[in-house]
Amino acid sequence: MQITKSAKFAIGFSRINRWGNIQKYLKGYKRHLDEFMSLDGKRKCILIGSATYDNIGDLAISEAELAFLREYFNGSVIQIPTMGFVEYERLLRAYLTKDDVLCFQGGGNMGDLYPGFEFERCEALEYFPHLKSVIMPQTMHYLDAESPWLRYSQKVYRHCTDLHLFARERNSERLMKEAYPTTSVSLVPDIVLSLDTTSYVSTTNGKREGMALVLRQDAERNLTMEDWAMIHDVVSQSGMKVTQMDTMADAKYIALEDRHDVVAELLSRFASSKVVVTDRLHGMIFAAITGTPCVAFANSNRKVGGVYQWINDLPYIQYINDTRQLEESLQAVLSADTGYPRMRIMKEFHSLIAALH
């Protein structure tokens, strides 16, 4: 039976999701019981929505979140993969206590483009409205101010008594405060800026070669065909070998145990490039954390420019709005000193660390 959108909001996504995944709901308790039995009463942090799909930027977010939580949360961390809450629901209801914390995957999924993520957040928050809950650094972008998904989240968030939202740029901070006036909202960097790349980047002996083009071809693309033509003209005149790269994996599904290697492979490619040209947020961030010169363009929802404000003092990263600036910017970043100031960036996460205590 086809359920209309209005009926979904009236009935509640959590109930519909359980009915539609009844076998996962019923079998999940036994399947994942050992994860909880082994904790011996330790305080628990549950990361819901941990990425298992093909966006390597989001995979890196989950890797960074996991490392961050393990460092700053005093207790055990369990990750629930993307859209897997229904499998864990019965276990969470049985094992969570008032001292535990729910965390939700960060990124750019608070908006119209990816409503499934908001539904899963609301599903969990409906069941645990009084538990401390943390939505990791996000971009909020609704194309429709009257979006039913936005209204649904407002209804659910309003009933949460200890919910903490974290925006990764100022525009999202403003939008969150307007949309959720009774909820705590704080501004911190994108969580991937906290990632220690030591275990991810293969040694290159300082040798870097060629230019990597990392350009979007999806709904968040902002560059026109004329922009693309100008970029390729400048690139062809550079005399460098050019490699087309993307932050999308070949496989649609990435198992949790394979995620580290997928992220490591791409970060190593960034670290071996002489320069990167990108309009992807995590293209810019991967360049920053690997000390790779980079020129970044805007995307459709302004998150690239917003997050750039955290690293706008890095001389080897430049953000531009006009492709006519590309040639000059390339010369500037290629002649700049590189070196990522991770310890300085970590100081910007103090409010997120405090929320985990």
Side-chain angles (χ1 to χ4, degrees):
M1 180 178 64
Q2 182 69 30
I3 302 176
T4 64
K5 184 187 297 183
S6 58
K8 288 180 180 179
F9 291 110
I11 296 171
F13 179 75
S14 56
R15 294 183 183 89
I16 293 171
N17 194 36
R18 185 194 300 165
W19 295 339
N21 296 279
I22 191 64
Q23 292 301 315
K24 288 183 178 180
Y25 172 76
L26 293 174
K27 295 180 179 180
Y29 187 96
K30 184 176 181 180
R31 181 178 300 161
H32 303 292
L33 180 60
D34 288 347
E35 294 178 56
F36 290 80
M37 292 288 287
S38 64
L39 298 181
D40 295 327
K42 294 179 181 177
R43 187 171 178 237
K44 297 173 287 299
C45 177
I46 311 298
L47 176 59
I48 297 174
S50 196
T52 55
Y53 46 92
D54 56 353
N55 187 315
I56 304 178
D58 285 3
L59 299 180
I61 286 175
S62 292
E63 287 288 294
E65 287 170 344
L66 204 58
F68 193 95
L69 294 174
R70 285 172 173 166
E71 181 171 357
Y72 294 108
F73 177 76
N74 183 23
S76 298
V77 180
I78 292 177
Q79 56 179 332
I80 296 178
T82 311
M83 301 304 159
F85 174 77
V86 68
E87 286 192 43
Y88 284 80
E89 180 194 323
R90 294 170 66 206
L91 279 164
L92 296 179
R93 289 161 74 95
Y95 280 89
L96 289 185
T97 72
K98 62 181 179 62
D99 296 321
D100 298 328
V101 177
L102 294 181
C103 284
F104 296 87
Q105 169 81 1
N109 55 59
M110 292 183 74
D112 309 275
L113 290 178
Y114 315 105
F117 292 93
E118 190 64 72
F119 279 142
E120 185 170 55
R121 274 192 294 272
C122 288
E123 181 181 14
L125 290 171
E126 280 184 311
Y127 282 121
F128 304 103
H130 304 305
L131 201 65
K132 175 176 278 192
S133 299
V134 175
I135 297 181
M136 300 297 273
Q138 277 277 1
T139 289
M140 182 174 177
H141 182 67
Y142 280 93
L143 298 173
D144 179 5
E146 300 301 319
S147 167
W149 296 298
L150 174 58
R151 297 291 172 249
Y152 186 51
S153 69
Q154 289 174 317
K155 175 184 175 182
V156 174
Y157 290 14
R158 193 181 306 124
H159 291 96
C160 295
T161 58
D162 199 4
L163 175 60
H164 304 262
L165 304 184
F166 289 88
R168 59 186 180 179
E169 23 76 21
R170 292 196 179 279
N171 185 58
S172 290
E173 179 191 28
R174 175 183 61 81
L175 292 173
M176 289 179 189
K177 287 182 175 179
E178 291 174 357
Y180 313 110
T182 62
T183 301
S184 168
V185 177
S186 300
L187 179 69
V188 296
D190 183 287
I191 197 69
V192 180
L193 288 170
S194 74
L195 190 66
D196 183 349
T197 61
T198 304
S199 69
Y200 291 87
V201 177
S202 303
T203 179
T204 59
N205 298 318
K207 186 177 182 181
R208 294 175 176 269
E209 293 181 339
M211 178 188 298
L213 284 185
V214 189
L215 300 174
R216 307 192 76 106
Q217 299 190 50
D218 59 13
E220 294 185 41
R221 172 177 165 177
N222 195 53
L223 296 172
T224 66
M225 294 304 295
E226 290 76 15
D227 290 328
W228 273 50
M230 183 170 292
I231 290 170
H232 283 281
D233 282 346
V234 172
V235 167
S236 64
Q237 293 170 18
S238 71
M240 283 187 275
K241 178 182 177 182
V242 177
T243 302
Q244 301 279 349
M245 288 169 50
D246 200 354
T247 58
M248 301 299 291
D250 293 332
K252 292 297 182 183
Y253 171 76
I254 309 296
L256 293 178
E257 59 268 24
D258 297 330
R259 191 172 63 197
H260 177 281
D261 290 345
V262 172
V263 174
E265 193 276 334
L266 186 60
L267 285 178
S268 293
R269 293 181 68 187
F270 270 77
S272 63
S273 298
K274 189 173 183 179
V275 66
V276 170
V277 175
T278 187
D279 60 349
R280 282 194 173 274
L281 172 60
H282 286 98
M284 177 182 72
I285 291 175
F286 290 164
I289 64 177
T290 58
T292 306
C294 174
V295 179
F297 296 104
N299 74 322
S300 65
N301 59 18
R302 297 189 289 179
K303 64 185 180 184
V304 179
V307 173
Y308 175 69
Q309 298 308 309
W310 297 104
I311 54 173
N312 61 9
D313 61 333
L314 302 186
Y316 63 96
I317 307 290
Q318 284 203 9
Y319 171 79
I320 60 176
N321 287 299
D322 191 331
T323 52
R324 289 173 294 187
Q325 300 172 275
L326 177 58
E327 185 173 4
E328 181 180 352
S329 293
L330 279 173
Q331 293 174 359
V333 299
L334 283 166
S335 61
D337 292 332
T338 60
Y340 181 60
R342 180 173 177 269
M343 296 312 297
R344 174 181 68 76
I345 295 292
M346 292 305 297
K347 296 177 182 178
E348 304 290 349
F349 288 99
H350 60 89
S351 58
L352 179 54
I353 295 171
L356 297 173
H357 290 164

